[in-house]
Amino acid sequence: MGDSDTTITVMNLERFATHDGPGIRTAVFVKGCPLHCPWCANPETQSLGPVHFFDADRCVGCGECALSCPNGAISLVTEGNRRYPRVNHARCDGCRLCERACLREAITLQGRVMSVGEVLSVVERDRDYYEASGGGVTLSGGEPLMFADKALAFLRESHVRGLNTAIETTGNVATKTLKMVEPYVDHFLYDVKSLDEDLLRKTVGGSARLNQAGLRWLAGHCPDKINVRVAVIPGFNFDDETLKGIIDWLWEIGARRVNLLPYHTLGLGKYRKLGREYECPRSPLRDEDLEDLHRYARSLGMESKIGA
């Protein structure tokens, strides 16, 4: 099987993306992530299999979704005077019949298996825009390097087709994985959340040691490819000592570009559709909240930007 035939589970293809690397890009969001960040803007990508979004405002309780399911994965529950579907994801095989049966689009399945060739046929529709803007394709998630062989096939085929490539990663992958894909990556959008091993493991299930090892290797091998992204989260890392410590460490290892990402709640509606509680503050940060840190990074000689 060639790279073009390799399959990946795609959550979304976002054309004309401007915050996922340089220029105009198509961002390919894949499913699966080893972390469980409570502030995640794409919680539907965390699981490996398909998950359902349910919009209660659209649902009329007709029950067509349950009737359409050949596996009995959907049952109806009554709350007050309304009926709602409840999904048993262990029984769901992703057939999407429930989605097709719902004329009001109240229930939608997140996640579709596509070949690399199918994805890139969509990506290549906007080649003229990439060439005019210095853009290309960005592989994001989830954690796209969770399935390293699939990511490698995608990136390698993208390069064969002459596409500029970027990958957004949590850095919670083995350094050998980064070494494997690096020849086919033009831009690494590399997340650094915390340098505290215990805090990172407790809060998101990640490893600061693993994250730091990978970034050290990239900084020593291909520093011009790296753009570090630091999501600033109230109650997690939003204090001067912690954030300046991250900036100092980036400077020490040779990382020279950093994006400071103010905490936002743009994914809040997705938690409602997944039937999950959103456990983070409801008030976003403003760009000006990070101005002092931005100036500090620049005082060291780093390229710093607030926002993606």
Side-chain angles (χ1 to χ4, degrees):
M1 184 172 69
D3 287 342
S4 186
D5 299 316
T6 299
T7 59
I8 56 177
T9 304
V10 176
M11 190 272 293
N12 186 33
L13 295 173
E14 183 181 337
R15 297 169 66 189
F16 299 98
T18 57
H19 299 291
D20 300 281
I24 295 171
R25 314 187 72 83
T26 295
V28 179
F29 294 90
V30 298
K31 283 182 62 64
C33 186
L35 307 185
H36 47 78
C37 303
W39 55 82
C40 181
N42 296 311
E44 72 276 27
T45 66
Q46 292 176 350
S47 65
L48 299 180
V51 293
H52 292 75
F53 273 173
F54 172 63
D55 189 336
D57 293 334
R58 288 178 174 268
C59 181
V60 295
C62 66
E64 289 297 322
C65 55
L67 292 173
S68 71
C69 181
N71 301 313
I74 302 177
S75 57
L76 295 176
V77 297
T78 301
E79 294 182 8
N81 59 355
R82 296 190 62 184
R83 293 198 307 170
Y84 296 101
R86 177 174 291 166
V87 180
N88 181 339
H89 289 104
R91 291 188 174 186
C92 177
D93 64 4
C95 70
R96 311 187 86 91
L97 290 177
C98 59
E99 185 179 73
R100 295 171 196 152
C102 183
L103 299 180
R104 294 182 61 86
E105 298 181 347
I107 190 166
T108 55
L109 196 65
Q110 305 300 304
R112 183 185 299 273
V113 176
M114 300 176 69
S115 72
V116 167
E118 287 175 323
V119 175
L120 290 178
S121 69
V122 177
V123 171
E124 289 190 293
R125 295 175 190 173
D126 300 317
R127 184 182 287 273
D128 289 347
Y129 293 100
Y130 309 148
E131 293 176 354
S133 67
V137 62
T138 298
L139 190 59
S140 187
E143 172 50 72
L145 293 177
M146 190 171 179
F147 301 99
D149 290 344
K150 292 178 180 290
L152 177 62
F154 182 89
L155 294 164
R156 194 161 50 198
E157 181 65 19
S158 296
H159 258 212
V160 166
R161 300 186 187 207
L163 293 165
N164 180 279
T165 59
I167 189 165
E168 185 169 11
T169 177
T170 66
N172 268 258
V173 296
T175 301
K176 66 179 181 181
T177 297
L178 296 172
K179 292 180 179 180
M180 180 176 68
V181 301
E182 183 274 327
Y184 310 100
V185 177
D186 297 305
H187 310 280
F188 283 93
L189 311 179
Y190 199 102
D191 293 348
V192 174
K193 297 176 172 63
S194 173
L195 304 181
D196 186 321
E197 178 73 17
D198 291 338
L199 177 65
L200 200 65
R201 190 170 298 281
K202 177 182 177 181
T203 307
V204 307
S207 168
R209 286 191 292 269
L210 195 62
N211 177 274
Q212 291 168 37
L215 189 54
R216 279 187 184 276
W217 182 82
L218 288 174
H221 186 75
C222 54
D224 291 342
K225 290 186 177 184
I226 306 169
N227 210 55
V228 177
R229 293 184 159 190
V230 181
V232 180
I233 311 297
F236 174 69
N237 63 5
F238 184 35
D239 65 81
D240 284 348
E241 182 179 357
T242 296
L243 293 170
K244 287 183 177 179
I246 292 174
I247 296 297
D248 288 341
W249 180 75
L250 294 177
W251 178 258
E252 172 193 321
I253 67 169
R256 293 294 181 260
R257 289 195 298 273
V258 63
N259 284 38
L260 306 170
L261 308 180
Y263 168 73
H264 62 75
T265 57
L266 297 179
L268 180 58
K270 294 182 177 182
Y271 288 81
R272 296 193 191 101
K273 290 181 179 181
L274 289 171
R276 289 171 51 181
E277 290 293 325
Y278 187 71
E279 301 172 354
C280 294
R282 302 302 177 99
S283 299
L285 295 178
R286 304 164 299 171
D287 286 1
E288 48 264 42
D289 293 325
L290 305 186
E291 189 62 39
D292 287 347
L293 184 65
H294 169 63
R295 285 197 293 265
Y296 180 72
R298 294 188 66 181
S299 74
L300 297 178
M302 296 187 73
E303 294 180 37
S304 175
K305 179 182 176 185
I306 299 176

